[in-house]
Amino acid sequence: MDTSTTDERAAPLDDSKAEKGRDRVALLAIFAIPLIWGIGFPLTHNAVAVVDPGLYAFARSLVATLALLPFALPVALRASRKALLGGLVLGLFSALNIVSQSYALHYLSSASTAFCVTMCIVFIPFVSAALGQGWPSKVDLASVVVGVVGAFIVLGPDLDDISVGYLWGGLAAFAIAMTISIIGKLTSEPESGQVDRLALGFFQVLFGTLALLYFPFARDLAPLTETRVWIAIVFMGVMSTALAIYLQTRFQRRVGSARTSVIFNLDLVFASLFGLVNRESLNLSQIFGGAVIFLASMLESLRDMWIKARTKGKGGDGGRIPAQSASDQAP
């Protein structure tokens, strides 16, 4: 009897540890995305100086489709209608995001474009509410506010003159907000109603590529042969698009839509750092603002650590790990 009771008590603890481990993996995967994007900003900035941004966006999306094809084809062939239609909608917003960022980087610096992209957190609450996902928690809203403050600190008063580049950056921010919210909607259903995430990501890049087919027929293809252009295209296609989409569709459900959007703000930090390597300036306000954005992305985790520490201190539940917030479980 004693052994049986011990085993019954140990099982929930093991399950809890396994869940926590999966949560950590998901969080690290989501954190990897803005790092990859940050590297891509200066690469794209250099590439679109010599190639049409729309053509560059198409080539990047085509490479991403080819990179995902061997892995996604088996599941795509038996994918549900929901995954197909969801991928179609996501593909349109993905195309809008890629082409908008490419044109923004044609007019603006890496840091300024990243700032525009960061503003996707402004759209998230409204888009999530429109899709019936409810409003973010108070902690998520606080993270959004802190993240926006950090973004302004990074750029300080040295914003470029207002130009069409900011319009393209705003469109990219809106497209990213829509993508985050739609993925959250499609992957937060009960297990029986969820779409295959790999198929969803594949259809997203496939339909995004088809949406950009206008550009290779209307633009000069010669600049695609330049070294800095095709290096950027390969990196952005494989890493910033294919891998990032797979990680997002695979792990966002555990992290939550609002929290994911805040973590994605770190691309501004990494864009500034890698922009420095690309001989772009990086001042003290950018470093301090980057730290504020990082704090915003960690606010909910810090809250959970604080609750856990207080609970252990009181000894009220024998040191059990508190339940996850709604945004940690599903957006």
Side-chain angles (χ1 to χ4, degrees):
M1 291 292 293
D2 291 342
T3 302
S4 176
T5 303
T6 302
D7 291 342
E8 290 174 358
R9 290 177 180 175
L13 291 177
D14 291 340
D15 291 342
S16 178
K17 289 181 180 179
E19 282 297 310
K20 284 293 182 180
R22 286 190 282 269
D23 287 341
R24 283 192 291 269
V25 170
L27 192 60
L28 288 173
I30 293 298
F31 264 105
I33 295 175
L35 172 61
I36 295 170
W37 286 348
I39 298 172
F41 274 105
L43 287 177
T44 299
H45 181 74
N46 293 339
V48 296
V50 297
V51 67
D52 179 81
L55 178 60
Y56 171 83
F58 167 79
R60 164 186 169 177
S61 188
L62 178 62
V63 169
T65 303
L66 296 175
L68 281 175
L69 183 61
F71 307 99
L73 187 58
V75 294
L77 291 176
R78 60 176 185 270
S80 65
R81 182 180 179 184
K82 187 176 182 181
L84 183 64
L85 294 177
L88 174 60
V89 175
L90 285 171
L92 296 177
F93 285 111
S94 178
L96 178 61
N97 170 35
I98 292 174
V99 76
S100 296
Q101 283 196 46
S102 298
Y103 274 104
L105 284 162
H106 181 72
Y107 295 102
L108 305 175
S109 66
S110 296
S112 294
T113 302
F115 166 73
C116 294
V117 172
T118 298
M119 299 314 294
C120 70
I121 59 178
V122 175
F123 297 105
I124 286 288
F126 305 101
V127 174
S128 296
L131 293 177
Q133 294 177 267
W135 289 83
S137 66
K138 292 180 180 179
V139 175
D140 286 326
L141 290 175
S143 297
V144 167
V145 173
V146 175
V148 171
V149 170
F152 277 105
I153 294 175
V154 167
L155 294 176
D158 298 322
L159 283 173
D160 301 334
D161 294 333
I162 298 300
S163 68
V164 69
Y166 285 98
L167 174 60
W168 285 113
L171 284 173
F174 172 73
I176 290 173
M178 290 298 299
T179 300
I180 291 173
S181 298
I182 293 171
I183 289 176
K185 180 73 173 178
L186 292 174
T187 60
S188 63
E189 302 291 337
E191 290 295 332
S192 59
Q194 284 186 26
V195 299
D196 186 284
R197 296 165 191 172
L198 181 55
L200 182 66
F202 174 71
F203 287 132
Q204 178 180 342
V205 296
L206 174 63
F207 288 121
T209 303
L210 295 176
L212 296 171
L213 266 176
Y214 161 79
F215 292 102
F217 293 101
R219 300 291 188 268
D220 180 20
L221 302 181
L224 292 177
T225 60
E226 293 214 16
T227 302
R228 58 175 163 172
V229 174
W230 62 258
I231 287 178
I233 288 172
V234 171
F235 178 86
M236 296 299 289
V238 175
M239 301 296 292
S240 293
T241 306
L243 179 61
I245 285 175
Y246 170 76
L247 292 177
Q248 185 179 359
T249 55
R250 173 70 177 83
F251 295 106
Q252 181 183 307
R253 180 175 179 266
R254 282 187 169 270
V255 177
S257 296
R259 195 176 180 192
T260 294
S261 69
V262 174
I263 292 173
F264 281 0
N265 288 348
L266 290 172
D267 65 353
L268 175 54
V269 180
F270 295 125
S272 299
L273 290 174
F274 290 111
L276 180 62
V277 176
N278 196 44
R279 299 181 180 178
E280 298 180 29
S281 62
L282 180 65
N283 54 41
L284 185 60
S285 66
Q286 290 175 311
I287 297 174
F288 179 68
V292 173
I293 294 176
F294 185 77
L295 173 63
S297 67
M298 292 295 294
L299 200 56
E300 187 162 1
S301 295
L302 292 173
R303 190 278 309 266
D304 290 343
M305 290 171 61
W306 170 253
I307 292 176
K308 182 179 178 181
R310 288 187 61 188
T311 303
K312 283 186 175 181
K314 292 179 180 179
D317 64 350
R320 286 181 298 167
I321 299 173
Q324 292 175 297
S325 67
S327 64
D328 281 331
Q329 295 171 4

